[in-house]
Amino acid sequence: MKKRLVSILLSTAMVAAALSGCGGSGETATTTETKTETKADTAATDATATTDAAASADGAYAGELEIMHYSTSEESQGNGGSDGFRTVLAEWDEAHPDITLTQNVLANAEYKTQIATLAAAGDLPDVFLLQGMNTIEWAKQGLILDLTETIKASPYYADYNTAYFTPFTADDKIYGYPCLTGGTCTVVIYDKQMWKDAGYDAFPSTWDEVEKAAEYFNGQGITTVAFGNGGKWQANSCFLSTLGNRYTGPEWFSSMISKGGASFEDPEFVKALAETQRLFTQTEIFNPDYNAVTNEDAREYYISGDAAAFIGGNWDESYIAATLQESDPEKWANIGFAVLPQPADATVAPDSQNIGLGYAVAINAKLADDPAKLEAAIDLAEYITGPAFSSFVAQNYALGGLTKVADVDLSGFDQITQDFYNWSYVDTTTCEIYDSYINSAVWDILNTDLQDLMNGDKTPEEVAANAQVAYEANY
Amino acid sequence: MLKTIKPKGWVIFLYLLVPVAAFVFTVFVPLITAFVYSFFEWKGGPNKTFIGLDNYMTLIQDEVFWQSFGHNIYLVVACILGQIGIAFVLVMVINSKLVKFKTIHRTFGFFPSTIAAVCIGLIWNMIYHYQYGIINWFLEKIGRPDLAKVWLNEPDLVMLLVSIPLIWQYIGYYMVIIMSAIASIDTEVFESAEIDGANAFQRAVYIVLPLIKNTMLVCITLCIAGNMKAFDNIYVMTKGGPGTSSMVMAMYGYQISFSQSNMGYGSCISVAIFVLSLIVIGGSQGLLKRIMREKEG
């Protein structure tokens, strides 16, 4: 009998172990993808080896080159930056048959974890995407190559939008080629028809007016503005980063970056926190579950018509536009874009939005020992951030990259794409994306506290003080 | 065992070598390296600075960590009562003569524990959902929409709400274990108890429980060990939020290590989780054994 019990216990344990294995299947899938992509690349290389031999004459390096990025094939559906990145990467791979390009592709969230782990192990891939806020620390640790001179010598240097290099600069040295597309992190997407019905020709420019409109919309059982902060980072990237600038102005954040004496406890920043708290706890503008749902959930409220507006980033815009174009062309034609409304006691930059390139193509410092390989890596980095990429995204998606594209012909695009292009790059002023700078420890602590702040469980002063302690300890 | 079919010593050694090596490599090596790293300041690069006990001093004063530890203990208590308690009651019900289709009950009872925790988290996210969730829908239907809440955004309720899916998921798991233990009890014992006029409750408490107490002890140990390292479904449901209201130790360690790139302090937290888990498991076993001995004595 005892044996039977033991055997049953053991088999249960085995089943449990086998099942818990299921949880890890996501990772296995990623590895498989990596493997298949490598295989496909090799196949592509083989196929072009004979035809494209001339192209390889310039690159002396022959062998393996490893790149890690997060433009997965799923991500590239409808996302111009990812699509462009994959396209130019494939072009480069084809043009260099002697080089076996190994791509390790993960979804963004996994990418961030994995690249942090590899950095900690000192085992970064040859070429990878560097997030702005890691630049200073990784440069200090000697993980990433100083590319200042290389970038200045780049054939495309004259076309570079040099402002985009700032997040990837430490001690006046540049550590990466900003990549993917420059998109806003804070845009108000609203339904023109619904707001017209409420008596507004355009989305209000002040929160006071939004509050008044909320009375109307709540009467209709509609959420005025949908927002999702369930992932904790959204309130920072897609709200506070722009709202803060309206109070502090850009000098404050520059001073924070350069440790020039500014502090999270400066009264202007605390005011921005207080206003955030007021808007979320004392008005009825937002969906009540803003802290429990993610931006992906919240944008569905907008798409389904349960909300009259939505605040999110350019990635939400591309999803909403693509979804509505297919499912509800009439609602799609009514999409309007606006900047975050101005708080009553804020004084700076009422039409600002935070925009930038969050990642840059960086090169492992170890490649300095292998000049031929380094040359290939630089060539790759220049190509995938250069005019080939910018032209592709400009022509296909009306988006901008690192290099300026002269006279983007917008006429071929639909109205919404044109509107968003003009809103993003022409009609608004810009400010910095907070979490492209400083470091992850500070933002992680602030983001956690922001959730409490927006629930009314922590005061603006407490949140500011905690962030300042983290800032002083980690930056 | 018969001498002729008993394998030679070196054969047994070879057979064992592979799993033992795998175990050492995946459990002991990381444990020891984490212990070593916990004495370093290691912020996301190859550079490490030895800082002695600084990480541990920080840990002692880290309110969020101790709050997380409290949440783990909450989970342990809730799950021992919920998972093992409800599993025991259900087993007694299923074993009664009035219940038909015993195998079906057993299969369906076990079913939730075969689902990945991430899926369970997503399912319950929908149940708790403010706009589309079944709870708020039900409250509206019975005319009490005023009771509707953003369930997972209530700091005071959130721990209870995240433990419910956890309890629900593993009831079947403990049911199977307890059932197998009861199956090994001689049926004559029950028959004679019945003849003596013991009712179902008395049979459960005075006959079944004492006879399967060793199995129950195993269940409780499994339950504590499982909940001290709780992570996945809470991560899916709340990411530890709102704020840190549903943060557990493993998630905090993960957040420190990977979101904040502080591997040294993250290692220190891992070591603390290991030590605290050992203390809780050891303590609870000692306590239970003492209670049982007192009962017998």
Side-chain angles (χ1 to χ4, degrees), chain B residues 21-77:
Chain B
F23 186 71
V24 167
F25 182 72
T26 55
V27 176
F28 279 99
V29 173
L31 201 65
I32 290 162
T33 44
F35 183 68
V36 174
Y37 292 145
S38 68
F39 297 106
F40 288 85
E41 186 188 82
W42 181 17
K43 288 191 171 162
N47 301 359
K48 306 178 193 78
T49 327
F50 184 78
I51 50 166
L53 289 172
D54 277 14
N55 281 332
Y56 288 92
M57 297 311 283
T58 316
L59 186 80
I60 288 170
Q61 291 162 12
D62 190 338
E63 281 171 34
V64 181
F65 177 78
W66 293 107
Q67 185 194 14
S68 312
F69 175 66
H71 291 155
N72 277 101
I73 297 295
Y74 179 97
L75 277 183
V76 166
V77 174

Side-chain angles (χ1 to χ4, degrees), chain A residues 318-353:
Chain A
S318 57
Y319 177 86
I320 289 175
T323 311
L324 284 180
Q325 192 164 21
E326 210 158 275
S327 66
D328 191 347
E330 199 185 325
K331 192 172 171 65
W332 171 79
N334 278 322
I335 295 178
F337 303 107
V339 290
L340 206 66
Q342 185 77 336
D345 55 344
T347 49
V348 195
D351 59 351
S352 60
Q353 42 113 357

